[in-house]
Amino acid sequence: MSPTTSGAVLNVGTREVTRAQVEDFLYREAQLLDEWRLDEWFTMFEPDGRMEVPTTDWAGWDATTAGFFVCDDYDLIRARVKRLKSRKAHAENPHSRTHRMVSNVILLEAGAETVWISANFLIHRYRDGGAYTYVGRYEHVLKVDDDGLRFRVRRSIPVMESMDPGARLSFIL
Amino acid sequence: MTQQTPVRPLGGAEGGALIDEDWEAMRFRVHRSAYRDPGVFRDEIAKIWGHTWLYLGHETEIPNAGDFKTRTLGGRPLIFCRDSAGEVKVFLNACTHRGTILCRHNEGNTKFFQCFYHAWAFSNSGDLAALPGDESYPDDPGFRESMRLRQVPRLQIHEGFVFIAFTPDVPDLLTHLGPAAHYMSLTAKIGQHGMQTLPGVQLYSVKGNWKLAVENAMDGYHFAPTHNTFVGYLRETGFAVTDDDQYAYDLGGGHGLLVLTGHNGRIGMVWEPRFGDEEKARTVAKRNEMAARLGPELAAEIADASRILFVFPNLLLFDLEALTIRQLEPVAPDRTDVRAWQFVETGEPESVRALRIKTMVSFVGPGGLATPDDIEAYEAVQRGIVATADSADPAHDWSDMSRGMANEKQGNQGRSIDEGAMRSFWRHWADRVGVATAVAGDPPADPGAPGPSTVFAAGSTATAGSAAPTTSGKE
Ligand code: FES
Ligand SMILES: [Fe+2]
């Protein structure tokens, strides 16, 4: 991390990224996901972006050394979106209702064209008369472009000890 | 016509049969209380989990001296560890002093387990190593000896798969496994340098009875409708999935096997476009390596078809695009904890490992493109079957599993898209739990070969080594 940054701003090349921009990006994502606007959500990834959900015993492993819940490359994210939009995605037909809270946004470090950020999330999901809570944090690598931010790596790290009864990850965590 | 137990007036599990099998009407039904009733659940824990071999874990989860994992099996907290001498040990995770959970970590490496309550400490081979204030105890070596950690009565290992039993009166592990041992050996032989589990264990829990998870795994009939979106994804990646040439086998002892040809590509074995070009060349090399090491017949048996093996009562081995070990832990009639490990070749290149993990988790696990729909199915069954409980018409309180009986009666090999594997599971289950089974009509005379006949015919000479696998480990 560059010692000149205040924590609220990072310089990525000649561009400046502020915490407010990152928060807006994450809030918009939360809104798109809660409203099941998955095609729009998919445009938040750069081509070749990826998405990971490590398991609850995660100790920093990457997806070449450990099992994961999700390690989607770009094609798989597309397939996931297509699946979730289908009436035949039985685990999400009808869709879960989700309600996401994102907070504790931190700009971690700037790369040549990326910014690494972390945030906490709390997601409530309701379906079939059941209520489920997912608690965790995001650790994302965001590509910084003239027109804004995009996911290079979107990583959601659950902090629960296991997925509770009924709490499968059939939606986007 | 044979009739072992009179067919009950339909319904009412009260003292009646929970399995109703009729070879005249070609009907096989399971009473739905088998998934709901707390008494049935208690009997399962006592008579199955308390009295047979259970899959605990794989030796490679604890590779080094001192490594341990804690895990609950059959409701009992356990320590699964490798002692300082390198031997696999399984202890009840309870202090012998007053019963406190001794090790409260999920995993780690230690020489000693120390209880925090009164600070007794036990070595990783179970000896009572430290006893604060021991001058107040009888000066008697027998006392310390009596306070050793309690080991599970039986422990045996087959090809790295560690099984335990909570009673000593179980048959030898290989006797229990029967032909299932051979199929475990097949997966164990894939890697030139062996096989291992990875960290990154999928831990999740399902609001459904454990037997629904078994049925689902042995049920090819659901694949196309339930996994329509996954099949669509495969088709888009250039792979045609078919139901042809897919068979189910009763391996005896409640164990079951599906052999699925044309189900999917298999990493290192059967290439498909979504694996990419690098993997195409490696598949040729890997097949050659296996043929040279194992002989062409055994290599082909391992590589050519996907398999789903169920080892009664709690192990599922999914040998599909890649390998997943899944363990079932019943918690309540309507709740099952599941643990799933990726099972990989030791020492394979990082790119292959990454492909394997990506491919497998895109299908299996609570975040995959397929398993969530399976979970939805078991949970939906669990929610739905209360509808007919204690209903005015008890005839409705049954689930039907008769698909394929006519074919079975003719002595044909059961297809994976029939329900024969479920029927054999349920018959064995009823036997273990001591539940009455009503049988009417004449069942097929010959239950058929305990596995693909080509395997055992060819295997008896060419694969003698694998057909008689070895066990190691301590009793
Ligand atoms: S209960 Fe463990 S030392 Fe007393
Ligand atoms: Fe399935």
Side-chain angles (χ1 to χ4, degrees):
Chain A
M1 182 186 263
S2 157
T4 61
T5 57
S6 69
V9 182
L10 279 180
N11 292 312
V12 176
T14 57
R15 297 190 189 88
E16 200 170 69
V17 177
T18 65
R19 185 158 65 207
Q21 285 171 326
V22 172
E23 283 170 346
D24 285 348
F25 179 80
L26 295 175
Y27 294 165
R28 178 174 137 76
E29 185 200 27
Q31 182 183 25
L32 292 177
L33 289 173
D34 284 346
E35 295 176 0
W36 285 84
R37 289 155 62 187
L38 298 178
D39 287 320
E40 285 169 81
W41 172 74
F42 186 51
T43 67
M44 299 182 79
F45 284 82
E46 69 167 20
D48 284 335
R50 47 182 293 118
M51 173 165 83
E52 295 179 348
V53 181
T55 51
T56 48
D57 61 343
W58 190 59
W61 308 302
D62 70 25
T64 63
T65 52
F68 270 58
F69 282 128
V70 174
C71 58
D72 283 358
D73 59 17
Y74 194 66
D75 289 341
L76 274 165
I77 303 170
R78 184 193 291 115
R80 190 176 288 273
V81 166
K82 180 169 179 196
R83 162 181 152 71
L84 287 176
K85 287 166 58 188
S86 157
R87 281 186 304 110
K88 303 257 174 90
H90 308 290
E92 285 297 337
N93 181 24
H95 287 165
S96 301
R97 300 171 186 209
T98 61
H99 181 86
R100 290 152 203 268
M101 308 295 287
V102 179
S103 74
N104 303 46
V105 176
I106 300 174
L107 308 187
L108 293 173
E109 194 171 332
E113 51 177 10
T114 56
V115 58
W116 298 1
I117 64 113
S118 74
N120 286 356
F121 64 78
L122 175 62
I123 304 176
H124 291 103
R125 169 174 158 257
Y126 300 91
R127 189 169 184 273
D128 291 335
Y132 310 90
T133 306
Y134 301 79
V135 180
R137 72 178 187 280
Y138 292 133
E139 281 187 10
H140 299 327
V141 182
L142 304 178
K143 168 89 189 301
V144 184
D145 266 333
D146 289 335
D147 57 344
L149 302 169
R150 277 199 178 47
F151 287 112
R152 177 160 292 176
V153 179
R154 181 187 187 279
R155 183 184 280 153
S156 322
I157 303 164
V159 301
M160 296 95 81
E161 291 186 315
S162 84
M163 288 296 147
D164 288 342
R168 51 184 151 68
L169 299 172
S170 49
F171 65 110
I172 308 286
L173 187 67
Chain B
M1 186 191 212
T2 59
Q3 187 149 354
Q4 289 154 4
T5 313
V7 179
R8 308 291 313 172
L10 299 177
E14 316 273 333
L18 295 194
I19 311 280
D20 169 27
E21 178 167 0
D22 184 338
W23 286 93
E24 304 257 303
M26 297 295 171
R27 182 179 70 191
F28 188 103
R29 305 187 301 177
V30 173
H31 196 267
R32 291 179 177 170
S33 61
Y35 308 100
R36 288 186 312 243
D37 184 69
V40 169
F41 183 80
R42 276 194 301 274
D43 282 351
E44 289 175 329
I45 294 301
K47 294 178 182 169
I48 300 178
W49 262 260
H51 281 278
T52 192
W53 286 104
L54 303 172
Y55 178 65
L56 172 68
H58 197 268
E59 248 189 310
T60 56
E61 291 178 62
I62 45 169
N64 307 307
D67 284 352
F68 71 87
K69 306 266 173 179
T70 55
R71 184 161 299 158
T72 297
L73 202 57
R76 296 172 205 253
L78 301 174
I79 300 173
F80 172 33
C81 72
R82 195 176 285 277
D83 70 14
S84 294
E87 207 177 325
V88 174
K89 292 270 166 67
V90 180
F91 303 110
L92 302 182
N93 188 5
C95 181
T96 54
H97 180 218
R98 220 78 78 61
T100 312
I101 287 273
L102 181 61
C103 178
R104 293 168 298 141
H105 293 271
N106 295 327
E107 58 190 321
N109 183 286
T110 189
K111 286 197 172 69
F112 297 99
F113 296 100
Q114 185 170 38
C115 179
F116 77 96
Y117 199 3
H118 312 92
W120 287 21
F122 302 86
S123 77
N124 59 18
S125 51
D127 303 318
L128 179 59
L131 176 58
D134 60 353
E135 66 285 352
S136 307
Y137 285 100
D139 183 18
D140 169 11
F143 175 74
R144 278 184 181 243
E145 188 56 30
S146 73
M147 290 295 181
R148 290 177 51 81
L149 279 183
R150 310 292 183 228
Q151 291 198 55
V152 292
R154 296 289 294 275
L155 161 61
Q156 277 192 320
I157 303 174
H158 173 59
E159 301 273 26
F161 294 89
V162 179
F163 287 82
I164 61 165
F166 292 119
T167 40
D169 62 336
V170 290
D172 186 72
L173 177 62
L174 279 187
T175 308
H176 166 77
L177 293 175
H182 170 71
Y183 296 97
M184 298 173 76
S185 296
L186 291 184
T187 55
K189 287 182 194 324
I190 292 171
Q192 192 175 4
H193 307 291
M195 302 291 287
Q196 64 180 97
T197 55
L198 291 182
V201 186
Q202 294 178 340
L203 303 174
Y204 60 101
S205 188
V206 175
K207 288 180 167 180
N209 186 273
W210 68 277
K211 299 184 290 300
L212 294 168
V214 178
E215 286 178 4
N216 175 269
M218 291 288 104
D219 174 12
Y221 187 27
H222 83 277
F223 192 81
T226 301
H227 302 304
N228 179 285
T229 60
F230 185 71
V231 171
Y233 159 70
L234 290 181
R235 205 171 285 127
E236 278 173 20
T237 65
F239 194 82
V241 187
T242 75
D243 276 341
D244 300 343
D245 238 0
Q246 313 225 20
Y247 297 100
Y249 298 89
D250 175 2
L251 301 182
H255 316 312
L257 175 74
L258 301 188
V259 177
L260 311 170
T261 309
H263 174 75
N264 264 318
R266 291 164 59 65
I267 288 170
M269 318 253 166
V270 178
W271 185 80
E272 63 166 280
R274 75 182 151 131
F275 298 162
D277 287 339
E278 183 188 336
E279 176 62 10
K280 191 173 196 173
R282 196 192 74 97
T283 300
V284 174
K286 174 69 191 166
R287 292 289 302 244
N288 288 340
E289 181 277 311
M290 284 191 10
R293 176 164 51 92
L294 304 168
E297 282 181 49
L298 180 56
E301 187 191 353
I302 292 170
D304 286 345
S306 294
R307 280 178 296 272
I308 300 174
L309 175 69
F310 169 61
V311 178
F312 189 90
N314 72 334
L315 168 65
L316 284 156
L317 205 51
F318 294 88
D319 185 358
L320 304 172
E321 295 95 319
L323 278 137
T324 299
I325 298 169
R326 188 183 294 170
Q327 180 185 52
L328 305 175
E329 166 73 358
V331 178
D334 58 355
R335 176 175 164 186
T336 306
D337 284 355
V338 185
R339 305 163 190 136
W341 294 261
Q342 305 305 320
F343 192 45
V344 305
E345 286 186 48
T346 302
E348 69 190 345
E350 200 175 89
S351 60
V352 178
R353 182 70 57 84
L355 173 69
R356 198 186 275 289
I357 294 166
K358 177 186 87 172
T359 305
M360 209 57 209
V361 311
S362 74
F363 179 6
V364 305
L369 301 184
T371 302
D373 295 331
D374 290 315
I375 299 173
E376 172 76 4
Y378 351 129
E379 293 187 342
V381 171
Q382 198 72 41
R383 289 198 294 138
I385 58 166
V386 300
T388 46
D390 303 321
S391 71
D393 189 350
H396 294 150
D397 202 22
W398 294 86
S399 287
D400 183 90
M401 282 164 220
S402 34
R403 188 171 158 90
M405 280 173 89
N407 193 41
E408 193 176 327
K409 178 92 179 184
Q410 286 159 22
N412 298 326
Q413 180 53 55
R415 300 175 303 167
S416 70
I417 52 171
D418 291 333
E419 289 163 340
M422 278 178 232
R423 292 190 288 272
S424 49
F425 164 73
W426 276 105
R427 284 184 202 110
H428 185 79
W429 173 86
D431 198 41
R432 295 299 310 217
V433 182
V435 159
T437 307
V439 183
D442 298 317
D446 177 14
S453 57
T454 52
V455 171
F456 282 91
S460 58
T461 49
T463 65
S466 71
T470 54
T471 48
S472 61
K474 185 175 173 299
E475 282 278 319

